[in-house]
Amino acid sequence: MKRLLLLIGALLLTPLAPAANLDRVVAVVNKDVIVESELEREVQRILSDLQRRGTAVPPRHEFERQVLDHLILRRLQVQLADQAGINISDDELNFTLQNIAQRNDMTLSQMRETIVVEGGNFREFRNDIRDEMRITQLRQKEVIDRIAVSEAEVERFLAEGGAAAAGRYRLAHILIPLPLDPSPEQQRRVAARARDVHQQLTAGADFASTAVAVSKGQQALEGGDLGWRNADELPAPFLAAVRDLAPGQISEVIPSANGFHILKVLESDAAGGRHVVEQTHVEHILVKVEPGREDEARARAQSLRRRILAGESLRDLARTHSDDPTSAIKGGDLGWVSSQSLVPAFAKAMQGLPEGELSEPVRSNFGYHLIRVLGRRSHDDTAAYRRAHAMETLRMRKAEEMTQTWLQRLRDEAYVELRL
């Protein structure tokens, strides 16, 4: 998601380069090609994003090669999504675009006008967002859904004190990758390359610019910025490397199975203690939106709302009409939930709803919801939070490593010819 939001922000605020006379093929990717106009457009987009961040830009040839690698990986994932039949309906895409516009304090029409006025192409913008959504679904299918975390792993994590996180860190990251099944000579060569990069950084080279130029991490073109992570969300070697570092300091080279890592602490803060959450007891009815039938779903939700206001039981209607099978069998009852566990549109509507009042139909990516709040409370959720957090932390650790390996295998197994 972070990658999607960064792409969205840059696309929304960056003029797109003209395509005229820039049609030379710069890479062959299986049976597809990437042309110079595509590369130049992406170069300009990322350049503008780096300039807004105040990140120094590496030499042009290094930067172009990094951007081309990024485009190749993106194209390979789109090709795989094609093969897997992963599609995004116009309704799903339009809903996402409306959310993007809202986050930028615009209507969808205003966002379209802004992109056009700044020299962009709204059709290309839509296509880029659709591809990012397809790639997200592909990674979910190919990587995330295959991750298993056992109860024994959770118990071991908790026993080692993993859930009592000692603070948070905002880190920047550089990965110098190893090939799959590297030979001893390849390991020595890559390790030497990592040490050389580390020496450049300790001698004063800009970390973000170096990440853009040399890192193969998933956030390389954002200067390697990983964002904020709880200490217990970091792989153990990462935490050991940064635990005693102050903001601005750089770790030693950290070896791993997929390469050599270098970290910089951008910011850090102290640990938290008890986890008290605001919870809401809520019930709902969900009306799913089938492709091309948005108006029909909205009308059905409105009809159910009128029936409830006229005296029919929400619980009875949920059992027979809700498209959420898990809650439907319980009469629409979701139990006590926190806003963080819900999709943003549902959470926002729930938070603003007085107890006992029935909402208007609320659109989320699942469909239209009718929501009623039954009660609110403050709840000490420390034990359950730590267990759930341990499970999610272990999943995230595995996801990062498995995604990196999956992308590397995808690239290694593809036919790629560079003509830059």
Side-chain angles (χ1 to χ4, degrees), residues 143-197:
V143 180
I144 307 302
D145 288 348
R146 301 183 182 188
I147 295 172
V149 178
S150 69
E151 288 298 320
E153 289 176 290
V154 172
E155 293 295 341
R156 184 164 56 251
F157 181 85
L158 293 170
E160 293 171 354
R168 298 190 308 152
Y169 297 88
R170 180 175 163 229
L171 301 176
H173 170 244
I174 289 173
L175 168 64
I176 310 298
L178 284 165
L180 296 174
D181 301 319
S183 66
E185 175 56 31
Q186 287 174 319
Q187 289 180 321
R188 285 192 292 271
R189 188 165 58 248
V190 174
R193 171 65 172 148
R195 289 193 298 270
D196 180 61
V197 171

Side-chain angles (χ1 to χ4, degrees), residues 19-26 33-38:
N21 301 320
L22 295 176
D23 55 0
R24 181 171 64 92
V25 172
V26 293
V33 297
I34 297 172
V35 296
E36 193 167 10
S37 60
E38 294 176 81

